[in-house]
Amino acid sequence: MKKTVLYGDRTNVSLSQNLARELHLPLFYPEIHVFPDGEKRIRVVEEVVGLEIFILKSFSTPVDGNILEFLFTIDALKRAGGKSVTAIIPYLAYQRADHVFRSGEAVPLSVIVSLIEKAGVNSCVLLEPHSIKIPELFTIPVTHVSAIPIFAEKISSMFQNLSQVSVVSPDMGGIRRVKQLADLLPGVTWAAVNKDRDLVSGNINATHHIGDISPICVIVDDICSTGKTIAQAADYLSRQGAREVYCFCTHPVFSGDVTAILQSANLKMICITDSLYVSPEKQFDTLETISVASLLANHINRK
Ligand code: R5P
């Protein structure tokens, strides 16, 4: 019999517990001691010699500290004799920095990928990577899990007449995602809004679109950080005649004034996943969360 355990993510306890339940695995957490200067001592208390280990960790804020904590945990697990480590990383930070945008820039994602591999991770499970090219940056096996099927299920339960619905990407980079979603929802059309973002000020402008805008629009995005992309797209769609605008987003990074921005946007509802924990102060009435625990477990069980 294979001996397997799950090490959970302390920043996302409910997802850790739900995933452990779905996978029928014992759940442990690494012991963490933070020194006065912020350095961390990580220790694995359990006996892990010869075990196949799953470790769940989203690279949430503070991003760099959480990445280091994850890398130290992998090192501890390997030194303690773990046979193999599969990293389940629902939210991989720095994935938007996967190439050089302006000359002289670093490529943070490529550094992060090398660190993950160097630390001793044997395989990875990623949820909704920002681009389909991201798994190719790894030399270890990567399982790409998409939240699109669970979004499709929820959307078909929400609307009786799907021919009144368009799924809309708030930028041209997300066209693949909305086409995939439209394929799962007979009658639904798709569109994509062009977004101009000023790299220095961070200001966003929705300028024009391609595709069909129906009376009901569902914006679909992978990441919501400041909320500006979604808010601008919602505003643009309303100006183009959409009667109701909804939003589905996989990774609620939720930084800065995101709650105020999303609450004042022209949106009837925003659906996110629990790939990242959202604190009660950042929650609001029209925000709904779908768990990815069973989606991740199904992919892991298939491996
Ligand atoms: C960009 O390419 C992503 O898909 C998201 O649209 C973007 O990261 C959202 O950022 P923000 O919420 O800060 O506008």
Short mmCIF file of all heavy atoms in Angstrom, two decimals, residues 21-65:
data_model
loop_
_atom_site.label_atom_id
_atom_site.label_comp_id
_atom_site.label_asym_id
_atom_site.label_seq_id
_atom_site.Cartn_x
_atom_site.Cartn_y
_atom_site.Cartn_z
N ARG A 21 -9.80 15.92 3.14
CA ARG A 21 -11.01 15.07 3.23
C ARG A 21 -11.28 14.40 1.88
O ARG A 21 -11.53 13.22 1.79
CB ARG A 21 -12.20 15.92 3.68
CG ARG A 21 -13.34 15.08 4.22
CD ARG A 21 -14.51 15.88 4.75
NE ARG A 21 -14.79 17.07 3.99
CZ ARG A 21 -14.62 18.31 4.45
NH1 ARG A 21 -14.19 18.51 5.68
NH2 ARG A 21 -14.90 19.36 3.69
N GLU A 22 -11.20 15.19 0.80
CA GLU A 22 -11.47 14.65 -0.54
C GLU A 22 -10.47 13.56 -0.92
O GLU A 22 -10.81 12.60 -1.60
CB GLU A 22 -11.39 15.76 -1.60
CG GLU A 22 -12.47 16.82 -1.50
CD GLU A 22 -13.79 16.39 -2.13
OE1 GLU A 22 -13.80 15.39 -2.88
OE2 GLU A 22 -14.81 17.05 -1.85
N LEU A 23 -9.22 13.75 -0.50
CA LEU A 23 -8.18 12.78 -0.88
C LEU A 23 -8.04 11.64 0.14
O LEU A 23 -7.25 10.72 -0.06
CB LEU A 23 -6.81 13.48 -1.00
CG LEU A 23 -6.64 14.46 -2.17
CD1 LEU A 23 -5.34 15.25 -2.01
CD2 LEU A 23 -6.63 13.72 -3.50
N HIS A 24 -8.80 11.73 1.23
CA HIS A 24 -8.72 10.74 2.33
C HIS A 24 -7.29 10.62 2.84
O HIS A 24 -6.75 9.52 2.97
CB HIS A 24 -9.24 9.37 1.88
CG HIS A 24 -10.61 9.44 1.28
ND1 HIS A 24 -11.73 9.65 2.04
CD2 HIS A 24 -11.02 9.35 0.00
CE1 HIS A 24 -12.79 9.70 1.24
NE2 HIS A 24 -12.38 9.52 -0.01
N LEU A 25 -6.66 11.77 3.08
CA LEU A 25 -5.27 11.76 3.54
C LEU A 25 -5.14 12.44 4.89
O LEU A 25 -5.86 13.40 5.17
CB LEU A 25 -4.37 12.52 2.54
CG LEU A 25 -4.15 11.90 1.17
CD1 LEU A 25 -3.24 12.78 0.34
CD2 LEU A 25 -3.55 10.51 1.30
N PRO A 26 -4.19 11.96 5.72
CA PRO A 26 -3.92 12.69 6.96
C PRO A 26 -3.33 14.05 6.64
O PRO A 26 -2.54 14.18 5.69
CB PRO A 26 -2.91 11.80 7.70
CG PRO A 26 -2.38 10.86 6.69
CD PRO A 26 -3.36 10.76 5.56
N LEU A 27 -3.73 15.07 7.41
CA LEU A 27 -3.29 16.45 7.13
C LEU A 27 -2.33 16.92 8.23
O LEU A 27 -2.65 16.84 9.41
CB LEU A 27 -4.52 17.36 7.09
CG LEU A 27 -4.27 18.87 6.96
CD1 LEU A 27 -3.62 19.21 5.63
CD2 LEU A 27 -5.60 19.64 7.11
N PHE A 28 -1.17 17.37 7.80
CA PHE A 28 -0.19 17.93 8.74
C PHE A 28 0.19 19.33 8.28
O PHE A 28 -0.03 19.69 7.12
CB PHE A 28 1.08 17.07 8.78
CG PHE A 28 0.84 15.63 9.15
CD1 PHE A 28 1.19 14.60 8.28
CD2 PHE A 28 0.27 15.29 10.37
CE1 PHE A 28 0.97 13.28 8.62
CE2 PHE A 28 0.05 13.96 10.72
CZ PHE A 28 0.40 12.95 9.83
N TYR A 29 0.80 20.07 9.18
CA TYR A 29 1.37 21.38 8.81
C TYR A 29 2.82 21.42 9.30
O TYR A 29 3.11 20.84 10.35
CB TYR A 29 0.60 22.52 9.49
CG TYR A 29 -0.82 22.68 9.00
CD1 TYR A 29 -1.88 22.09 9.68
CD2 TYR A 29 -1.10 23.41 7.85
CE1 TYR A 29 -3.19 22.23 9.22
CE2 TYR A 29 -2.40 23.56 7.39
CZ TYR A 29 -3.44 22.96 8.08
OH TYR A 29 -4.73 23.09 7.63
N PRO A 30 3.70 22.09 8.56
CA PRO A 30 5.07 22.20 9.08
C PRO A 30 5.09 23.10 10.30
O PRO A 30 4.25 23.99 10.43
CB PRO A 30 5.83 22.85 7.91
CG PRO A 30 4.79 23.52 7.09
CD PRO A 30 3.50 22.78 7.28
N GLU A 31 6.04 22.85 11.19
CA GLU A 31 6.19 23.73 12.36
C GLU A 31 7.00 24.95 11.91
O GLU A 31 8.03 24.79 11.27
CB GLU A 31 6.95 22.94 13.43
CG GLU A 31 7.03 23.60 14.75
CD GLU A 31 7.91 22.77 15.69
OE1 GLU A 31 9.14 22.95 15.64
OE2 GLU A 31 7.36 21.95 16.44
N ILE A 32 6.49 26.14 12.23
CA ILE A 32 7.17 27.36 11.78
C ILE A 32 7.47 28.25 12.97
O ILE A 32 6.58 28.57 13.76
CB ILE A 32 6.30 28.14 10.77
CG1 ILE A 32 5.99 27.26 9.56
CG2 ILE A 32 7.01 29.42 10.31
CD1 ILE A 32 4.98 27.86 8.60
N HIS A 33 8.73 28.62 13.08
CA HIS A 33 9.11 29.59 14.12
C HIS A 33 9.66 30.82 13.42
O HIS A 33 10.53 30.72 12.56
CB HIS A 33 10.17 28.97 15.04
CG HIS A 33 10.70 29.95 16.03
ND1 HIS A 33 10.03 30.26 17.20
CD2 HIS A 33 11.81 30.73 16.01
CE1 HIS A 33 10.71 31.18 17.84
NE2 HIS A 33 11.79 31.48 17.15
N VAL A 34 9.10 31.99 13.76
CA VAL A 34 9.57 33.23 13.14
C VAL A 34 10.47 33.96 14.13
O VAL A 34 10.07 34.26 15.26
CB VAL A 34 8.40 34.14 12.71
CG1 VAL A 34 8.92 35.37 11.97
CG2 VAL A 34 7.41 33.37 11.83
N PHE A 35 11.70 34.24 13.72
CA PHE A 35 12.66 34.96 14.56
C PHE A 35 12.32 36.46 14.56
O PHE A 35 11.62 36.94 13.65
CB PHE A 35 14.08 34.75 14.03
CG PHE A 35 14.58 33.34 14.25
CD1 PHE A 35 14.52 32.41 13.21
CD2 PHE A 35 15.08 32.94 15.48
CE1 PHE A 35 14.96 31.12 13.41
CE2 PHE A 35 15.52 31.64 15.67
CZ PHE A 35 15.46 30.73 14.64
N PRO A 36 12.83 37.20 15.55
CA PRO A 36 12.50 38.63 15.63
C PRO A 36 12.82 39.40 14.35
O PRO A 36 12.17 40.38 14.01
CB PRO A 36 13.36 39.13 16.79
CG PRO A 36 13.59 37.93 17.63
CD PRO A 36 13.65 36.76 16.69
N ASP A 37 13.84 38.98 13.60
CA ASP A 37 14.19 39.71 12.37
C ASP A 37 13.37 39.25 11.17
O ASP A 37 13.59 39.72 10.05
CB ASP A 37 15.69 39.58 12.07
CG ASP A 37 16.10 38.15 11.78
OD1 ASP A 37 15.24 37.25 11.91
OD2 ASP A 37 17.26 37.92 11.41
N GLY A 38 12.47 38.29 11.37
CA GLY A 38 11.61 37.84 10.26
C GLY A 38 12.06 36.54 9.63
O GLY A 38 11.33 35.92 8.86
N GLU A 39 13.30 36.09 9.94
CA GLU A 39 13.74 34.79 9.38
C GLU A 39 12.86 33.68 9.95
O GLU A 39 12.33 33.81 11.06
CB GLU A 39 15.20 34.54 9.78
CG GLU A 39 16.18 35.39 9.00
CD GLU A 39 17.63 35.01 9.31
OE1 GLU A 39 17.88 34.13 10.15
OE2 GLU A 39 18.53 35.63 8.71
N LYS A 40 12.75 32.57 9.19
CA LYS A 40 11.86 31.49 9.65
C LYS A 40 12.63 30.19 9.82
O LYS A 40 13.52 29.89 9.02
CB LYS A 40 10.76 31.25 8.61
CG LYS A 40 9.71 32.32 8.63
CD LYS A 40 8.70 32.12 7.54
CE LYS A 40 7.72 33.28 7.51
NZ LYS A 40 6.98 33.35 6.29
N ARG A 41 12.27 29.45 10.87
CA ARG A 41 12.82 28.11 11.03
C ARG A 41 11.66 27.14 10.76
O ARG A 41 10.62 27.23 11.40
CB ARG A 41 13.35 27.91 12.44
CG ARG A 41 14.04 26.56 12.60
CD ARG A 41 14.66 26.42 13.96
NE ARG A 41 13.65 26.55 15.00
CZ ARG A 41 13.89 26.96 16.23
NH1 ARG A 41 15.10 27.31 16.59
NH2 ARG A 41 12.93 27.05 17.12
N ILE A 42 11.83 26.26 9.79
CA ILE A 42 10.76 25.33 9.40
C ILE A 42 11.19 23.92 9.78
O ILE A 42 12.32 23.52 9.49
CB ILE A 42 10.53 25.37 7.86
CG1 ILE A 42 10.32 26.79 7.37
CG2 ILE A 42 9.42 24.41 7.44
CD1 ILE A 42 8.95 27.32 7.35
N ARG A 43 10.26 23.19 10.37
CA ARG A 43 10.60 21.82 10.79
C ARG A 43 9.41 20.90 10.52
O ARG A 43 8.26 21.27 10.72
CB ARG A 43 10.89 21.87 12.29
CG ARG A 43 11.33 20.58 12.85
CD ARG A 43 11.82 20.78 14.29
NE ARG A 43 11.83 19.50 14.96
CZ ARG A 43 11.12 19.20 16.04
NH1 ARG A 43 10.37 20.11 16.62
NH2 ARG A 43 11.19 18.00 16.56
N VAL A 44 9.75 19.69 10.05
CA VAL A 44 8.71 18.67 9.87
C VAL A 44 8.79 17.75 11.08
O VAL A 44 9.83 17.13 11.32
CB VAL A 44 8.97 17.89 8.56
CG1 VAL A 44 8.06 16.70 8.46
CG2 VAL A 44 8.80 18.82 7.37
N VAL A 45 7.72 17.68 11.83
CA VAL A 45 7.76 16.94 13.09
C VAL A 45 7.45 15.46 12.86
O VAL A 45 7.96 14.58 13.55
CB VAL A 45 6.71 17.55 14.07
CG1 VAL A 45 6.74 16.86 15.41
CG2 VAL A 45 6.95 19.04 14.23
N GLU A 46 6.60 15.16 11.84
CA GLU A 46 6.16 13.80 11.62
C GLU A 46 7.25 12.94 10.97
O GLU A 46 8.17 13.46 10.36
CB GLU A 46 4.91 13.77 10.70
CG GLU A 46 3.69 14.45 11.28
CD GLU A 46 3.80 15.98 11.26
OE1 GLU A 46 4.55 16.52 10.43
OE2 GLU A 46 3.14 16.63 12.11
N GLU A 47 7.08 11.63 11.07
CA GLU A 47 7.98 10.67 10.42
C GLU A 47 7.55 10.56 8.95
O GLU A 47 6.41 10.13 8.67
CB GLU A 47 7.80 9.33 11.15
CG GLU A 47 8.49 8.14 10.56
CD GLU A 47 10.01 8.25 10.70
OE1 GLU A 47 10.52 8.20 11.84
OE2 GLU A 47 10.64 8.39 9.64
N VAL A 48 8.39 11.00 8.03
CA VAL A 48 7.96 10.98 6.62
C VAL A 48 8.86 10.10 5.74
O VAL A 48 8.72 10.10 4.52
CB VAL A 48 7.89 12.42 6.02
CG1 VAL A 48 6.84 13.26 6.69
CG2 VAL A 48 9.25 13.11 6.05
N VAL A 49 9.76 9.33 6.38
CA VAL A 49 10.70 8.51 5.60
C VAL A 49 9.92 7.59 4.65
O VAL A 49 9.00 6.87 5.07
CB VAL A 49 11.60 7.66 6.53
CG1 VAL A 49 12.52 6.74 5.71
CG2 VAL A 49 12.41 8.57 7.43
N GLY A 50 10.26 7.63 3.37
CA GLY A 50 9.66 6.74 2.38
C GLY A 50 8.24 7.11 1.97
O GLY A 50 7.61 6.39 1.19
N LEU A 51 7.72 8.23 2.46
CA LEU A 51 6.33 8.59 2.12
C LEU A 51 6.23 9.38 0.82
O LEU A 51 7.14 10.14 0.48
CB LEU A 51 5.69 9.43 3.23
CG LEU A 51 5.50 8.83 4.60
CD1 LEU A 51 4.59 9.72 5.45
CD2 LEU A 51 4.91 7.44 4.52
N GLU A 52 5.09 9.20 0.14
CA GLU A 52 4.78 10.08 -0.99
C GLU A 52 4.03 11.26 -0.39
O GLU A 52 3.00 11.08 0.25
CB GLU A 52 3.90 9.34 -2.00
CG GLU A 52 4.69 8.25 -2.67
CD GLU A 52 3.95 7.60 -3.81
OE1 GLU A 52 2.87 8.07 -4.18
OE2 GLU A 52 4.49 6.60 -4.32
N ILE A 53 4.54 12.46 -0.62
CA ILE A 53 4.00 13.63 0.08
C ILE A 53 3.35 14.61 -0.91
O ILE A 53 3.93 14.93 -1.95
CB ILE A 53 5.13 14.35 0.85
CG1 ILE A 53 5.71 13.39 1.90
CG2 ILE A 53 4.63 15.63 1.51
CD1 ILE A 53 7.09 13.77 2.35
N PHE A 54 2.16 15.07 -0.52
CA PHE A 54 1.53 16.18 -1.25
C PHE A 54 1.68 17.40 -0.37
O PHE A 54 1.50 17.32 0.85
CB PHE A 54 0.04 15.92 -1.48
CG PHE A 54 -0.23 14.88 -2.52
CD1 PHE A 54 -0.58 13.58 -2.17
CD2 PHE A 54 -0.14 15.20 -3.87
CE1 PHE A 54 -0.82 12.63 -3.14
CE2 PHE A 54 -0.37 14.24 -4.85
CZ PHE A 54 -0.72 12.95 -4.48
N ILE A 55 2.02 18.52 -0.98
CA ILE A 55 2.05 19.76 -0.20
C ILE A 55 1.22 20.80 -0.93
O ILE A 55 1.39 21.01 -2.13
CB ILE A 55 3.50 20.23 0.09
CG1 ILE A 55 3.47 21.62 0.73
CG2 ILE A 55 4.39 20.23 -1.12
CD1 ILE A 55 4.78 22.04 1.34
N LEU A 56 0.29 21.40 -0.18
CA LEU A 56 -0.58 22.43 -0.76
C LEU A 56 -0.02 23.79 -0.35
O LEU A 56 0.22 24.03 0.84
CB LEU A 56 -2.00 22.27 -0.19
CG LEU A 56 -3.00 23.36 -0.58
CD1 LEU A 56 -3.47 23.17 -2.02
CD2 LEU A 56 -4.22 23.32 0.36
N LYS A 57 0.19 24.69 -1.31
CA LYS A 57 0.63 26.04 -0.94
C LYS A 57 0.33 27.02 -2.06
O LYS A 57 0.82 26.88 -3.18
CB LYS A 57 2.14 26.03 -0.66
CG LYS A 57 2.70 27.35 -0.20
CD LYS A 57 2.40 27.61 1.26
CE LYS A 57 2.97 28.94 1.72
NZ LYS A 57 2.33 29.43 2.94
N SER A 58 -0.51 28.00 -1.74
CA SER A 58 -0.73 29.10 -2.68
C SER A 58 0.25 30.20 -2.32
O SER A 58 0.48 30.45 -1.14
CB SER A 58 -2.16 29.63 -2.54
OG SER A 58 -2.99 28.97 -3.47
N PHE A 59 0.80 30.84 -3.32
CA PHE A 59 1.79 31.89 -3.06
C PHE A 59 1.06 33.22 -2.81
O PHE A 59 1.06 34.14 -3.62
CB PHE A 59 2.77 32.00 -4.23
CG PHE A 59 3.62 30.76 -4.44
CD1 PHE A 59 4.37 30.61 -5.61
CD2 PHE A 59 3.68 29.76 -3.49
CE1 PHE A 59 5.16 29.48 -5.81
CE2 PHE A 59 4.46 28.62 -3.67
CZ PHE A 59 5.20 28.49 -4.84
N SER A 60 0.42 33.25 -1.62
CA SER A 60 -0.40 34.41 -1.28
C SER A 60 0.45 35.54 -0.69
O SER A 60 1.65 35.35 -0.44
CB SER A 60 -1.47 33.98 -0.27
OG SER A 60 -0.86 33.34 0.82
N THR A 61 -0.17 36.67 -0.40
CA THR A 61 0.53 37.82 0.18
C THR A 61 0.86 37.53 1.66
O THR A 61 -0.01 37.00 2.36
CB THR A 61 -0.39 39.06 0.12
OG1 THR A 61 -0.85 39.16 -1.23
CG2 THR A 61 0.34 40.32 0.51
N PRO A 62 2.05 37.80 2.17
CA PRO A 62 3.21 38.35 1.48
C PRO A 62 3.87 37.29 0.59
O PRO A 62 4.34 36.25 1.08
CB PRO A 62 4.14 38.77 2.63
CG PRO A 62 3.74 37.90 3.78
CD PRO A 62 2.30 37.58 3.61
N VAL A 63 3.86 37.58 -0.70
CA VAL A 63 4.24 36.61 -1.72
C VAL A 63 5.64 36.02 -1.50
O VAL A 63 5.80 34.79 -1.43
CB VAL A 63 4.17 37.30 -3.11
CG1 VAL A 63 4.78 36.45 -4.18
CG2 VAL A 63 2.72 37.63 -3.45
N ASP A 64 6.65 36.90 -1.35
CA ASP A 64 8.03 36.38 -1.28
C ASP A 64 8.24 35.54 -0.02
O ASP A 64 8.88 34.49 -0.07
CB ASP A 64 9.04 37.53 -1.35
CG ASP A 64 8.93 38.28 -2.69
OD1 ASP A 64 8.28 37.74 -3.61
OD2 ASP A 64 9.47 39.39 -2.81
N GLY A 65 7.65 35.98 1.09
CA GLY A 65 7.77 35.22 2.34
C GLY A 65 7.10 33.86 2.21
O GLY A 65 7.63 32.84 2.68
#
